[in-house]
Amino acid sequence: MNAQEIIALAVFLGVYAFIITERIHRTVAAMVGASVILLVGIVPWEKVPEYLDLGTILLLAGMMVVVNVSRESGLFEYIAIKTAKLSKGDPMKVLLLFSVVTAVVSAFLDNVTTVLLLTPMLLYITKKMNVNPVPFLLAEIFASNIGGTATLIGDPPNIMIGSAAKLSFNEFLSNMGPIAVVDLFVTIAIVYFAYRNTIKVSPSKRAEIERLIMGMDERDAIRDRELFRKSVIVILGIVFGFFLHDTMGVEPAVIALLGASAMLLWSRFPPEEALEKVEWATLFFFGGLFLIVGGLVETGFIDALAEKIIGMIHSEAQAIFVISWFSAISSAIVDNIPLTATMIPLIKAMGSSMNTYPLWWALSLGACLGGNGTAIGASANVVVIGIAHREGVRITFGEFLKVGAVIMFSTVAVGSLMLWVRYGL
C-alpha cells in the first residue's frame, strides 16, 4: 500500500471508530475526516462534486423543510387520534393500527420525525388503557424501520442507493414495497405472541377505554386549519410527483425541492424558521462521509475489495444473501448510513462481473431492517426509548435485543428469500 492508500484507510477506520464509540459527534468526525482527505489531495478538488452526492443531500433538505412546516399545523397529531379512534379501545387493534400507520407515514417521511410525533400519543393511549406500553413502543419502532424500507424516500440508505444507482421511486415501491408489507405483518405477529399476556384487558375495561378514546376530538389537534389543508395538498402533490418522476425524467431531489418551495410560497411560513429546523448536522454528516468513501475509491481500495468478494461469490443468488445479511448484521451494530456509503462503491465495482440490479435491493433490505436488531441500530430506536424513559417507561438494551434480534433475523430472512425467488432462481 502506498502512503495515500494508508491515509485513506486510516481516516475511514478512525471516523468509523468515533461514530461507533460516540467519543465525538459523528458529524464532527465526518467533517474532520473529509477535511484530511481533501487536504492531502486524495480526492482532487475538481472531483468533489462527483463524490458529494447532491441528489441525496437536496432530497433530504427538501423533505425536512416540508415536514418542519407541516408539523406546525397539527397534521400528525390528527392522524394519531384518528388511528386511536379506529381501534375503539381494543389493545390488539391499537397495536395493529398504530404499526400500519407508522409504517405508512415512515414510507414517506423520515423515521425520526414519524416516531417523534406518534410516540407521545401512543404513550397517552396505553396509559389510558392501563396496559404495558413496551410492546406498543417496540412495534412502533420496528414498523418505522420496516416502513422506511418500502420507498425511495423512506430511509436515508434508500435515498443514497436510489441516487447512486439511478433507481426510481416506482422501482423501489415495486421491489421493496411487497417485502415491507409481508415483513410488517410478520413483525406484528411476533410482537403479539411475545407480549400477548400483557396487552389483554377485560371487556368492562375495554368499554371504558372506548368511551374515553371516542370522546377525543381529532379536530382539536389542528392548530392552524389553513396550514393543515395546504400541508395535506402539498404532501400529496409530492407523493404524486415521486410516482411520476421517472416518467417525467426529473430527479426525486427536484420534486422534493419543488414541494418545499411550494409549501413556503403558499403557506407564507417564515423561511428562516423552516430552514433553521433543517437538520444541518445530518446533511454535513452525509457530505463528509461521501468524501471519505470517495478517498477509498480514488486509491483503488474499493476495487481491490470488490475483486476479493467477487472471487468468493459465484452467482447473483449468493451475492443477494451475502450482501443482505452482511448489511443487516452490520447495521444492527453500526450506523446504517456510513455502512451504505461504503457498500455503494463496492456494489458498483462488482458490476464488472455480474448484474448488480438485485444487489441494490439486497443492500436496501439489510441496511434498513438491520436497524431493528438492537436498541442503537437506528435513530428511531434511540428517540423512542429516550421519550419513553422521560415518561417513566424503561426499555433495556437486553429487552430490546430479545425481541429485536428475532424481528431482524425473521424479516431479513423473509426479504432475502423473496429477492432470491424474484432474481436468484
Side-chain angles (χ1 to χ4, degrees):
M1 293 177 80
N2 60 36
Q4 284 205 334
E5 288 173 334
I6 292 170
I7 293 171
L9 187 58
V11 168
F12 175 79
L13 294 175
V15 169
Y16 245 90
F18 282 121
I19 291 172
I20 294 170
T21 58
E22 298 181 348
R23 294 289 295 274
I24 59 174
H25 195 285
R26 64 179 190 167
T27 301
V28 178
M31 288 177 67
V32 171
S35 302
V36 173
I37 293 293
L38 292 175
L39 182 69
V40 179
I42 296 175
V43 172
W45 182 251
E46 59 272 16
K47 282 195 171 183
V48 169
E50 181 183 323
Y51 289 112
L52 208 59
D53 188 347
L54 288 178
T56 297
I57 292 174
L58 294 178
L59 176 55
L60 281 170
M63 292 306 294
M64 285 175 185
V65 170
V66 173
V67 170
N68 290 341
V69 178
S70 304
R71 180 188 291 158
E72 299 301 317
S73 71
L75 171 63
F76 302 106
E77 291 89 337
Y78 177 91
I79 294 172
I81 295 173
K82 199 79 177 169
T83 305
K85 291 178 79 168
L86 283 172
S87 72
K88 295 183 177 176
D90 183 339
M92 185 54 214
K93 285 184 181 173
V94 170
L95 184 78
L96 178 66
L97 288 172
F98 259 91
S99 298
V100 171
V101 168
T102 302
V104 171
V105 175
S106 292
F108 297 101
L109 303 177
D110 76 273
N111 298 353
V112 172
T113 302
T114 304
V115 298
L116 266 175
L117 296 164
L118 296 181
T119 301
M121 181 55 64
L122 195 53
L123 281 167
Y124 175 78
I125 291 168
T126 52
K127 187 177 179 182
K128 293 298 179 186
M129 290 193 298
N130 196 25
V131 293
N132 179 12
V134 171
F136 298 89
L137 295 171
L138 290 178
E140 183 197 19
I141 291 170
F142 301 142
S144 73
N145 291 325
I146 291 170
T149 313
T151 67
L152 169 68
I153 56 171
D155 214 359
N158 281 5
I159 297 174
M160 298 163 69
I161 293 167
S163 179
K166 304 298 178 195
L167 300 171
S168 71
F169 185 86
N170 291 339
E171 283 177 290
F172 259 95
L173 197 60
S174 63
N175 281 278
M176 302 307 294
I179 293 174
V181 171
V182 175
D183 275 345
L184 178 63
F185 288 102
V186 168
T187 298
I188 293 170
I190 292 172
V191 173
Y192 173 72
F193 282 106
Y195 290 96
R196 60 188 180 282
N197 293 327
T198 65
I199 60 176
K200 286 181 179 173
V201 295
S202 64
S204 60
K205 181 67 179 174
R206 184 181 300 175
E208 183 186 330
I209 295 167
E210 183 177 355
R211 279 196 301 276
L212 175 78
I213 290 178
M214 298 312 283
M216 297 167 73
D217 190 345
E218 62 273 19
R219 289 171 297 186
D220 292 342
I222 302 174
R223 293 188 287 276
D224 184 331
R225 290 188 180 281
E226 193 59 23
L227 184 59
F228 181 92
R229 184 176 67 84
K230 291 173 180 174
S231 299
V232 171
I233 293 172
V234 170
I235 289 174
L236 289 177
I238 292 172
V239 172
F240 186 65
F242 282 139
F243 277 116
L244 294 180
H245 81 90
D246 201 31
T247 308
M248 297 187 296
V250 177
E251 289 293 319
V254 177
I255 301 290
L257 289 176
L258 277 172
S261 305
M263 181 74 92
L264 291 172
L265 188 65
W266 195 18
S267 67
R268 302 288 181 185
F269 193 86
E272 296 86 355
E273 195 176 328
L275 292 171
E276 188 182 8
K277 293 176 183 173
V278 167
E279 295 169 37
W280 294 108
T282 301
L283 300 183
F284 273 89
F285 174 60
F286 271 104
L289 273 180
F290 290 146
L291 292 175
I292 292 166
V293 175
L296 294 179
V297 175
E298 281 292 312
T299 55
F301 181 84
I302 293 291
D303 282 338
L305 187 60
E307 275 183 27
K308 286 191 177 178
I309 293 175
I310 289 168
M312 294 186 289
I313 295 174
H314 303 294
S315 68
E316 287 162 16
Q318 283 183 356
I320 287 172
F321 285 103
V322 169
I323 290 174
S324 58
W325 282 99
F326 173 76
S327 305
I329 293 170
S330 302
S331 292
I333 302 166
V334 302
D335 197 312
N336 59 10
I337 294 171
L339 174 81
T340 307
T342 312
M343 292 294 289
I344 284 173
L346 192 64
I347 293 178
K348 278 185 175 177
M350 292 169 73
S352 59
S353 65
M354 65 176 68
N355 174 23
T356 56
Y357 190 74
L359 309 189
W360 295 117
W361 309 124
L363 175 59
S364 168
L365 179 79
C368 295
L369 298 186
N372 279 335
T374 67
I376 58 168
S379 302
N381 311 9
V382 179
V383 169
V384 172
I385 291 171
I387 295 173
H389 188 69
R390 286 201 301 273
E391 297 296 323
V393 179
R394 189 156 180 259
I395 302 174
T396 64
F397 189 91
E399 182 170 15
F400 190 102
L401 186 66
K402 277 193 290 187
V403 185
V406 175
I407 298 285
M408 185 191 80
F409 284 115
S410 303
T411 53
V412 174
V414 168
S416 54
L417 278 173
M418 288 175 73
L419 284 177
W420 176 68
V421 169
R422 187 165 181 176
Y423 293 107
L425 283 176

